[in-house]
Each structure stands twice: as C-alpha cells, then as structure tokens.
Amino acid sequence: MGETAAANHHHHHHHGHQVFDAVIHDVVPPQPAFKCFDDDGRLKRTGTVWTASAHIITAVIGSGVLSLAWAIAQLGWIAGPAVMLLFSCVTLYSSTLLSDCYRTGDAVSGKRNYTYMDAVRSILGGFKFKICGLIQYLNLFGIAIGYTIAASISMMAIKRSNCFHKSGGKDPCHMSSNSYMIIFGVTEMLLSQIPDFDQIWWISIVAAVMSFTYSAIGLALGIVQVAANGVFKGSLTGISIGTVTQTQKIWRTFQALGDIAFAYSYSVVLIEIQDTVRSPPAESKTMKKATKISIAVTTIFYMLCGSMGYAAFGDAAPGNLLTGFGFYNPFWLLDVANAAIVVHLIGAYQVFSQPIFAFVEKSVSERFPDNDFLTKEFEIKIPGFKFPYKSNVFRVVFRCTFVVLTTVISMLMPFFNDVVGILGALGFWPLTVYFPVEMYIKQRKVEKWSTRWLCLQMLSAACLVISVVAGVGSIAGVMLDLKVYKPFQSTY
C-alpha cells in the first residue's frame, strides 16, 4: 500500500448526517449554506484533476524507488522494463475500476464511500470487509517494519560515509544497524503518543518534498555514474548464473516482482483522494484522468531511476540504491539524500501505524467499556503548553508495545529488499486486483460467464499467481539471508 498515505491527511471526517437531503429540493435554502456544502452535508470539495494527480504522485513515490535498480538487475534489460510496464498497466486498469466504486450504485448521485474499506463494506459486505481489513492491517504492520529497517540503514549510511571520507576509503567501517533501529524506535514511541499526529497538515508536504529529494538525488547520481563509466552496464537477461546459483536466480527473479509491486501499491489511498475532488463533472471522470497522468509520470520516473541505477552498476546493483555504497562521492550529497529518507520515514511510520492504533483502541474500548485500565484518562500538565496532555494507560502501553515489536522484528531480519518484496506480494493481488475487480463486477452487475467477467477473472488469476510467486521468492530470500546473518548481530 503504497508509499506515504499522503492522501490521508487532507480531510477530517466529521460525519455530517444528511439532514439536507430531503429539504434541498423543495425549499430554496439560505444561499450560503447551499453553496458551501456538498450533497453529503460536508464542506464543498474543491479538488481538480491536477490536485488529485499531485496527491497520487506524492502517495506513490517513496521508499519503493530505492529497490528498483536491484529489481531490474535481477530481471535484465528486457524483462525488467517489461515487468514495470506490466505492473503500471495493471495498476492503471484497477484504478479505473476503483474510481467507479467511490459512489455505491449510481455514478453521479450514489452514496459516497470515504475510504477503500468503506467501499468494500458497502459493496461487498461484512465478511469480505473483515478479510480486507486483516490484509490491510497486516500490510500496514509490515510497512512499519520495512520503514524501521530503511531508516536505520540510512542513518548508518550517513555515519559510514563520513567514516569512509575521514579514512580516505581505507577503513571499511563495518557497523551494526541495531543501535540505529533502537534510536528510530524510541523516536517513534514518543511520536506515537501525540494524538492525531497523522493529521497534522504539513507532514504530508514534508514527506512529499523529502521523497522527491532522495529519489531525484538517486536518479542524478545514477546518470552521473553512467556518464563517468562511459557505458551502460548490465545484460539482457540480468544477473548471470556464475554470480548466483541457478536456484538463487529463480528466487531473486520472483522477489524482484514483489519489489516492483511494492513500488506500485497505492490503490488503498485512491478512494480517499477521490473524496477531495469537486463535482460536476462526475468524480470518477476526473479521477480516471488523474490516474492516467500520475501513473504515466510515476512509470517514467521509476523507469529512469531503475534503469539508471542498473546502467550505473550492472549486476552489482545494491538492494538499496542510496545505502549500498555504490556511490561514495560527493559524500555530502549522499548524506543529504539519506537524511531525507530518515525524515520522510519518521513521518511515514506514523501515517501508516495510526490506522492500526485507532482500530485496536476503538475495538478494545467497545469490548471492555467498564475497565479502568483501558478507559480511564489521565492528564499531564506540560510546561509551556496551554492544554494538558491527555491519554490513557492502555493507549500508552499498547503504542509502545507496537513500536517495540516492529523494532525487534526489524532487528531479527534487517533485509530491506526481502521485506519490501513480501509486502509488495501481500498487498498486490488482494488490494490492487481482487477487491477492485469484485467491487466492479458487483457495481456494474457484470454477468457471470460473460466475456467481460471471464477477462476480469483471468486478470485476477494471473495477478494471484504473480503475488504468490513473489511472496514465495521473498520468503526464500529471507531464509537464505538468515543463513548468512546471525540475528541481532548483522553488520554491514
């Protein structure tokens, strides 16, 4: 589920009951009220094709970029770009299907769904909604782990590149990532106690700026490196069998699929972005245009980043472009890029964990309404702040436990690519293909066994195979890496 859910911040949902519905058509309402509200009684939405495209692009481009050069190196110059095109086409198609699911029933006046989960609930019903929720929360949990790994590796890379620079490249500067994971974990513990942290409006802007900064630096360094080498490295079929064994080659090819899928996994935020768009014209029309623009932009960008990274390093392309020490100089520029990654991921971690916090705390307080430990609020006066800080014991304990858990798992398997591959595989088929297809069939009442139904089911089946294969490949990758590394002691 793609990268920063930048989209999530742009609206606070206060569920305005639809009092106006009946009244509006008969009585002429007081003028201003009519002008500044939409048909669901919320403030008028003002988004356009361009704001929607911008939201999608910022939601997509993020840490997925870092493993693309590695993924292309596994597949080679023919299959690599081809697979990327394939994923962008599937994502484009499923986004088109999803845009018809924003309103249940009628495209112009049907009831609005505010989030992906709302759409699944209102179109497919309770059982599938529960499964979808499970997958989505698992995915968010995994992303928290992936981000802990990525952020700590980037902190370490800053340290290493400075140490390298001091010793003039003589000292290999081996170090362990664990202390950096702990630093990251402590930071997240503190931040996760801030109420509504994920709704602070500037966080998404900072995240967007940061992800563009490091993606652009990675691309620029790749181009410069290629110019310095004077040749495009790499081969048509990817990494050669001598460098890795036959079986490794197969596993890695599969894992590369997962890495690319992760870079495209943002279907989950599409409906929330659509909820910011003004109508008329119908929101789905605007959204279809926006997905075309933004997928074109991200695909070109991904192709450039991935292929330049591969062209610069050939089969030796590192799993994480900016920390794999393919680039040593200019060392300050690498430090800037890695610092940008850290800042982006500190915020993104919260954006992805807050929905889990909200869900668990809500379900616990509904199940045990009378338990003091779970519901009793306490206040702390903070000097210099007007309002006291309010929280409850369960909230503090649960959020800290969650962060500790993600940190420990990250220390046990600090392999960025493998984790990203697993996440890509987990989210790709169910969230990007299966649910959108099922919702579309239900929405548009597509006849069973009709040509259209068969084509949709074949697409879904093919993507299921891709997901399974990518998942198996990535899990195999973790197993192979664990043979080499001892948990808690891995140094780079």
Side-chain angles (χ1 to χ4, degrees), residues 426-465:
L426 173 76
F428 175 65
W429 177 71
L431 301 175
T432 307
V433 185
Y434 176 75
F435 287 115
V437 163
E438 291 294 302
M439 289 198 282
Y440 181 80
I441 289 177
K442 194 91 184 268
Q443 270 285 63
R444 290 262 175 263
K445 304 191 169 52
V446 179
E447 296 252 324
K448 228 180 193 172
W449 305 111
S450 62
T451 320
R452 184 164 225 183
W453 187 86
L454 278 172
C455 289
L456 286 166
Q457 296 299 348
M458 274 154 60
L459 171 77
S460 188
C463 291
L464 172 60
V465 172

Side-chain angles (χ1 to χ4, degrees), residues 277-286 289:
V277 172
R278 65 163 177 239
S279 59
E283 295 92 351
S284 57
K285 279 213 176 86
T286 312
K289 268 194 203 126

Side-chain angles (χ1 to χ4, degrees), residues 253-265:
T253 304
F254 291 166
Q255 190 182 328
L257 295 176
D259 283 1
I260 295 173
F262 178 76
Y264 278 106
S265 57

